[in-house]
Amino acid sequence: MKPRVACLVLLLAIGTYGTSAAPAGKGPLRVGVFDGNGVTAVCLTEALESLRIDPAIEARRVSAAQIEAGALDTLDVVVFPGGGGGREHTDLGDAGAARVRDFVLKSGKGAVGLCAGAYLLSDTPDYACLHLCPAKAIDREHDERGHGLIGYEMAPAGLELFPELKGFGEGRIYYYEGPILVPEEGRCSVLGTMKGDVHLENDAPAGMTPGRPLLVSAEAGKGRVFLSVGHPEATPGLRWMVPRAVRWAARRESVPYTAAIVRPGILDHDVLFDEALRKEEGALHQSLMYGDAAAKRAAVERLAAVRSWDGGPWIRGFVRNADPTVRVAAARALTALEWTASQLDLEAAVAAESDVVVRANLDLCLARLKAMTPAVGERGGPGGRRVVAVTIDDLPLVNAGTDDPQKRREEVKRLLSALAAQRVPATAFVVGKNTDSPGGAELLDLWLTGGVHLGNHTQSHRSLHEIGVQAYEADMAAEDIRLRAALAPAGEAPAYFRHPMLQTGRNPATKRAVDGYAETLGYEIAPVTIDNSEWIFAKAYAVALQKGDAASAAKVRGAYVPYMESKVDYWERQSRQLLGYEVRQILLFHANALNADALPDLLGMLKRRGYEFVSLEDALRDPAYALPDGYTGGGGISWLHRWAIALGGRAAVLPGEPECPRWVMEVAGVDSE
């Protein structure tokens, strides 16, 4: 992608107005974003929103009058957003400009300039600037050369500061009439250069932008300055570069941001607003004001596709449109543009929405925007955490590998012990016929007193496709009676139903009938996101144990957790691709001999990947679970794939899902997954 440098200067400062700034590296990082003449409203908003990405940064607006009154004494960084650098300098006045220079040169604080802010921080002769960075702007007579998404390339020094960009080659960044800088050799570091050629307006000559600096950093007296010619704060996938630059200017250690925020590869081609595209943009604005619902929806989608400069402010009001398709299109467009300033608009729209499917779509977009700011950790997830709900099928025990009642009891005890050791609030699903097997009732008693929530998995575990709706509902009801009786002495009742083999119906009518019947019994359907073929490993392990083949059993167990980790990694990537963040995952495995022996390792793998264990109820609070299930068919598939099919068709399904090794299937005597 090509970095677009925003005209924004950030002078970093710590503390609140009226208190002293904290020593470098300690306390919150307090940033003042300049709000004065010359600053455009869009640039101001985007600068503030980008800084919200970093939980340690406390950003607020600061005016020229506040600077004159000593506000810089309480800051580590101040931000001068894009607009007009000369006008911003005029608003500061001589006294304000002197205070900013002292803030950096003498007090050792930081300044970051984006686009017009880069102009303001430069050392350009015969221009109203602060002379803080030893780089001058040239070809000023053609400043209004045009705008759009352009290519950029990072230098080695830039990849040190922004290592997340390694391996992406040429990127894209928003450029809007930023300065053509000539740094003084030996006194500046060029972190990235422009590749796109912008000469769209004002008789600007060709060849001025390619190869010119995009990102520049320099030591300035005791302080630091960072200049961005483009607008990372306005570029989807790159907004995190602004808080990173702020941290550098404040001499703070870099911190990682979530996968929902760091998305450097999502823009893959230039979009230059030539005369034709500018005319089209104007026509799209007219459609938004005067077109019918179809025209409005098309205009919203097109403005987002071309990354219209002020698309966010134009589009956000359409989440309140009378047409539901326009509301959904607007929410998706705001998410694509990363217009996080629209969160309040979407919250109000979600609260007011009466259509269940539309509300689910709006809620998902809202969750994605919230995941983009603020970040609280390295991983994805609506709150920046990786969380997983553990669910266990086919209780009380299956594929035990032994008929010895005592050994079977020990297997259940080991399962419960592993869950208790990691304080896993698991939900487990009972199959009635397994309870009816010899010693099954005693095994179920262990689960009943083992601190696990129990749910309904039918009496016989037969396929919905084989027995039909009526028999399937009877099977559900039969286990419901038994399970409620078993839980009643403890004052509990089952709350969740899981479809055997995750088969939910070959057609919408069947799905509606079965899900509706489950609801009449008081059940919520228990989805699965981390689907897998653990059951094949478990069967292979049980076969090996029954044969006394210790070598094969050890080989199966040794391959099990690495296989499961490959599946977890796949579903994390599918979630990020589809939702823009990592959903609150729901893992499925079975109560069997393999997990009795390997569950500590499986749970340890999840913890190593940063997961916290939560209840099924907590996981289902993720708004993604309100999305429509778009799958009808014979298989039993993950809800992530079901949502992908509903939202984008089968093309939205991430390829490369790991498969069960053929040798494991041969040991198990299984032909297919």
Side-chain angles (χ1 to χ4, degrees):
M1 289 181 40
K2 301 165 190 170
R4 275 168 263 174
V5 186
C7 303
L8 162 62
V9 178
L10 302 96
L11 291 168
L12 302 119
I14 294 194
T16 55
Y17 300 140
T19 63
S20 298
K26 297 181 179 179
L29 197 106
R30 290 176 183 159
V31 180
V33 181
F34 184 64
D35 181 9
N37 182 42
V39 176
T40 62
V42 169
C43 292
L44 176 64
T45 297
E46 289 173 332
L48 287 163
E49 288 296 311
S50 69
L51 293 171
R52 288 180 57 208
I53 287 172
D54 195 313
I57 291 176
E58 297 180 359
R60 65 188 68 198
R61 303 180 187 200
V62 59
S63 68
Q66 288 171 317
I67 290 174
E68 173 72 4
L72 295 181
D73 295 339
T74 68
L75 298 175
D76 285 306
V77 184
V78 81
V79 178
F80 293 94
R87 284 178 291 145
E88 292 179 19
H89 187 278
T90 299
D91 199 44
L92 284 170
D94 292 340
R99 285 182 177 274
V100 172
R101 283 178 52 80
D102 287 348
F103 178 75
V104 176
L105 299 172
K106 297 180 180 180
S107 298
K109 300 303 176 67
V112 178
L114 304 176
C115 192
Y119 255 124
L120 181 62
L121 293 184
S122 72
D123 187 17
T124 301
D126 303 319
Y127 182 76
C129 59
L130 293 172
H131 305 286
L132 284 171
C133 180
K136 65 179 180 180
I138 63 171
D139 196 37
R140 286 173 40 222
E141 59 270 29
H142 299 113
D143 274 352
E144 297 176 355
R145 67 188 69 251
H147 68 282
L149 284 172
I150 67 168
Y152 71 88
E153 189 170 52
M154 296 300 291
L159 292 176
E160 289 184 13
L161 181 58
F162 305 104
E164 296 90 339
L165 300 179
K166 290 180 180 178
F168 283 93
E170 182 179 342
R172 300 296 183 279
I173 192 168
Y174 218 106
Y175 172 89
Y176 205 126
E177 301 172 354
I180 308 299
L181 293 176
V182 178
E184 185 176 331
E185 189 173 353
R187 297 188 61 197
C188 295
S189 294
V190 176
L191 307 180
T193 56
M194 295 182 281
K195 298 191 72 175
D197 195 353
V198 184
H199 55 100
L200 305 170
E201 302 179 58
N202 194 30
D203 295 323
M208 289 303 298
T209 53
R212 298 291 185 179
L214 173 70
L215 304 171
V216 175
S217 65
E219 300 291 329
K222 294 182 178 180
R224 282 178 165 181
V225 291
F226 183 100
L227 280 63
S228 175
V229 171
H231 287 274
E233 84 284 7
T235 306
L238 294 186
R239 299 181 314 119
W240 56 276
M241 295 177 73
V242 177
R244 177 68 56 76
V246 164
R247 280 184 169 272
W248 176 85
R251 303 183 191 275
R252 294 290 186 95
E253 183 179 357
S254 294
V255 296
Y257 302 123
T258 71
I261 294 165
V262 181
R263 303 189 297 159
I266 62 173
L267 304 176
D268 59 4
H269 63 279
D270 290 8
V271 180
L272 296 178
F273 278 73
D274 56 16
E275 184 176 2
L277 188 51
R278 294 196 302 274
K279 286 183 178 179
E280 181 188 358
E281 185 180 40
L284 293 172
H285 292 162
Q286 292 297 308
S287 295
L288 290 180
M289 291 187 288
Y290 306 115
D292 59 16
K296 285 180 167 62
R297 183 173 65 252
V300 163
E301 292 170 348
R302 177 62 175 161
L303 288 170
V306 299
R307 299 306 197 267
S308 174
W309 171 252
D310 52 0
W314 269 100
I315 292 169
R316 69 180 181 183
F318 288 89
V319 299
R320 295 179 280 275
N321 191 263
D323 186 276
T325 65
V326 174
R327 296 198 294 275
V328 172
R332 291 176 177 173
L334 292 168
T335 304
L337 293 170
E338 296 190 9
W339 189 252
T340 55
S342 63
Q343 284 185 31
L344 291 177
D345 299 276
L346 271 172
E347 286 175 357
V350 168
E353 186 58 59
S354 58
D355 185 288
V356 174
V357 175
V358 173
R359 183 188 178 102
N361 276 272
L362 297 179
D363 214 4
L364 175 60
C365 291
L366 175 60
R368 292 179 68 178
L369 283 177
K370 286 182 175 179
M372 293 172 186
T373 177
V376 295
E378 183 179 3
R379 306 296 186 179
R385 297 183 301 152
R386 274 184 168 166
V387 299
V388 60
V390 170
T391 64
I392 309 168
D393 281 10
D394 293 2
L395 265 62
L397 191 65
V398 67
N399 284 322
T402 179
D403 295 324
D404 185 311
Q406 180 59 33
K407 290 182 179 179
R408 291 166 66 89
R409 285 194 296 272
E410 290 303 319
E411 288 180 2
V412 172
K413 289 179 180 179
R414 290 202 300 277
L415 285 165
L416 290 168
S417 177
L419 295 171
Q422 296 293 346
R423 298 182 179 179
V424 178
T427 299
F429 294 89
V430 182
V431 175
K433 71 173 185 178
N434 293 348
T435 307
D436 293 336
S437 63
E442 184 181 354
L443 296 180
L444 183 62
D445 286 340
L446 294 175
W447 288 104
L448 286 166
T449 58
V452 174
H453 299 283
L454 300 186
N456 188 338
H457 204 32
T458 75
Q459 165 65 26
S460 68
H461 201 268
R462 296 176 67 189
S463 168
L464 169 61
H465 307 326
E466 294 177 1
I467 65 176
V469 172
Q470 186 173 358
Y472 190 81
E473 291 177 353
D475 207 21
M476 189 192 310
E479 181 56 25
D480 177 67
I481 293 170
R482 296 178 52 161
L483 190 55
R484 289 184 186 279
L487 291 170
E492 299 177 359
Y496 299 102
F497 173 77
R498 169 149 303 149
H499 292 278
M501 295 159 283
L502 302 184
Q503 294 173 350
T504 57
R506 293 185 184 273
N507 56 69
T510 297
K511 287 168 65 84
R512 286 195 298 270
V514 171
D515 289 357
Y517 184 73
E519 186 176 353
T520 65
L521 294 179
Y523 289 114
E524 184 173 358
I525 303 300
V528 174
T529 56
I530 303 179
D531 186 28
N532 54 78
S533 292
E534 162 265 354
W535 65 275
I536 301 178
F537 279 82
K539 188 169 184 180
Y541 192 70
V543 167
L545 292 179
Q546 290 277 21
K547 292 180 177 180
D549 186 350
S552 292
K555 185 178 179 182
V556 170
R557 177 176 172 178
Y560 171 52
V561 173
Y563 161 79
M564 290 293 280
E565 183 161 16
S566 73
K567 297 291 279 193
V568 170
D569 177 77
Y570 171 82
W571 293 117
E572 290 166 354
R573 289 185 285 113
Q574 172 69 91
S575 181
R576 291 195 299 268
Q577 174 182 285
L578 178 67
L579 306 175
Y581 67 93
E582 290 182 23
V583 70
R584 289 174 174 256
Q585 302 279 11
I586 300 175
L587 170 67
L588 163 65
F589 59 82
H590 296 77
N592 52 46
L594 175 60
N595 285 310
D597 293 336
L599 187 54
D601 294 334
L602 179 62
L603 298 177
M605 176 270 290
L606 292 168
K607 292 197 73 172
R608 174 170 50 79
R609 294 182 72 86
Y611 280 95
E612 299 175 29
F613 300 113
V614 299
S615 67
L616 179 57
E617 179 184 13
D618 189 29
L620 289 173
R621 293 192 178 102
D622 192 305
Y625 290 102
L627 287 171
D629 174 355
Y631 176 73
T632 52
I637 65 175
S638 166
W639 264 248
L640 277 162
H641 279 175
R642 293 167 187 258
W643 301 331
I645 293 168
L647 297 176
R650 292 186 180 273
V653 172
L654 185 70
E657 182 179 355
E659 297 179 349
C660 180
R662 175 55 55 181
W663 68 267
V664 177
M665 297 173 67
E666 290 174 354
V667 174
V670 172
D671 294 328
S672 65
E673 294 188 66

